[in-house]
Amino acid sequence: MQGIPATFDFPTDSAEFRHPAHRSGVELYRAHIVRHAFEPHTHAAFGLGAIEQGVERFRLRGAEHLAPADSLVLMNPDELHTGRAETEGGWRYRMIYLDADVAAAISGEADWWFADAVRVDVPRARQVTSLLDRLWRTPSPLAFDGLLAELLRTLSPHVQRPRPAPMEGALRFERVVDYLHAHLADRITLEQLAALVHLSPFHFLRRFRAQYHATPHQLLMALRLQRAKRLLAAGVAPAQVSAECGLADQAHLTRAFAWRYGVTPARYQRQLLGWVPP
């Protein structure tokens, strides 16, 4: 991975995270991206937000999506996706990452699901942007929770009910994904994964890519970095995180994390653990 930067190369590219100390399973994010292209990654949470300016292009579920200004971005947990600017000036956006059980507790409804990753809904997108800005700035835990409930009420009309049943391919490869989760720190071969579903190695590779629109290694790296994000948010030192997630060393963690989340591990940890409302 020689030559991959640990931080953004372009001075206008920036990204920030915040976590409310009183409410677990909630993470706020805001960014302005011009040149950076996000590697395939996932979030173990709903990714809900709005585009303030510009246009984002991202790949999700095997298709390219464009998210223009005043559109909603609605991603389900564990969906592998990329991200890059479609316009010269990049795109500015805000997101909130909500664990599924937190979304269910706040909304009173289980099994939230979004069929469309992008919805052009100008009034609601502007309302979401305003709510996310207020959530970012409020020092009051009580006010924060009220705004959080209002945000989910605002997005509720775009929820698909009932949640669709998993496709046959997803069910077949569920065992493989579980194996990757359980062996993040191990050296894994194509033969090992193919044997789990009784396929020849390269037949398995073709079928897996058709299902997830990514190679097993790309998904493994996404899961490793997802796990790294959780450990860093819990205060685990980056050097220990890299070892627990199967990355070569702390420098490898720094490069891989920055390319997927837009900040270095150390900066991400400072941003989350340094914000404690009174």
Side-chain angles (χ1 to χ4, degrees):
M1 298 182 69
Q2 185 176 1
I4 296 179
T7 57
F8 290 131
D9 286 334
F10 201 64
T12 60
D13 287 353
S14 62
E16 296 178 89
F17 286 89
R18 277 190 174 178
H19 165 66
H22 75 287
R23 183 66 56 208
S24 61
V26 180
E27 192 173 271
L28 298 169
Y29 176 78
R30 64 182 184 183
H32 178 210
I33 308 298
V34 178
R35 296 285 183 86
H36 187 73
F38 291 93
E39 292 287 321
H41 63 283
T42 64
H43 303 276
F46 287 103
L48 311 173
I51 308 295
E52 296 181 59
Q53 298 175 8
V55 182
E56 178 191 11
R57 175 183 287 273
F58 61 94
R59 186 165 183 80
L60 174 76
R61 304 173 199 162
E64 294 287 328
H65 302 267
L66 293 178
D70 293 326
S71 65
L72 297 169
V73 177
L74 308 167
M75 293 187 178
N76 300 303
D78 300 315
E79 290 192 316
L80 198 69
H81 61 281
T82 62
R84 62 180 175 85
E86 178 68 10
T87 51
E88 185 177 346
W91 84 102
R92 188 184 301 274
Y93 65 119
R94 291 176 182 268
M95 300 289 290
I96 187 168
Y97 298 104
L98 282 175
D99 286 359
D101 59 341
V102 176
I106 296 169
S107 66
E109 298 175 331
D111 293 330
W112 268 39
W113 195 257
F114 295 95
D116 299 318
V118 178
R119 295 295 296 265
V120 178
D121 183 340
V122 175
R124 193 165 273 110
R126 292 180 179 176
Q127 187 177 359
V128 166
T129 294
S130 175
L131 287 167
L132 291 174
D133 179 58
R134 292 164 66 190
L135 281 164
W136 187 277
R137 292 184 290 108
T138 185
S140 164
L142 185 61
F144 186 98
D145 289 345
L147 291 168
L148 193 55
E150 185 178 348
L151 176 68
L152 266 65
R153 285 196 301 271
T154 301
L155 293 171
S156 179
H158 290 298
V159 175
Q160 177 176 330
R161 301 180 181 88
R163 175 176 173 170
M167 297 179 64
E168 182 181 351
L171 291 172
R172 180 171 192 182
F173 289 115
E174 190 175 78
R175 187 176 181 186
V176 175
V177 177
D178 289 344
Y179 185 90
L180 293 176
H181 273 290
H183 297 83
L184 292 180
D186 297 345
R187 181 180 179 273
I188 299 173
T189 68
L190 188 62
E191 285 76 11
Q192 285 174 291
L193 299 180
L196 295 172
V197 288
H198 310 292
L199 295 174
S200 66
F202 287 99
H203 184 196
F204 162 76
L205 180 59
R206 292 192 299 272
R207 294 286 297 275
F208 187 94
R209 189 178 182 92
Q211 175 63 39
Y212 293 103
H213 313 290
T215 66
H217 181 259
Q218 286 175 318
L219 182 56
L220 174 63
M221 286 299 295
L223 295 177
R224 282 173 169 170
L225 272 297
Q226 184 187 92
R227 171 66 175 160
K229 198 162 174 272
R230 291 277 192 176
L231 292 173
L232 290 164
V236 180
Q240 183 179 343
V241 170
S242 61
E244 291 193 23
C245 294
L247 301 171
D249 52 29
Q250 189 172 339
H252 186 190
L253 170 67
T254 297
R255 293 191 299 267
F257 195 93
W259 274 99
R260 286 162 179 83
Y261 299 115
V263 296
T264 64
R267 185 174 299 172
Y268 171 77
Q269 196 168 59
R270 288 197 301 270
Q271 288 172 353
L272 259 65
L273 302 184
W275 186 57
V276 182

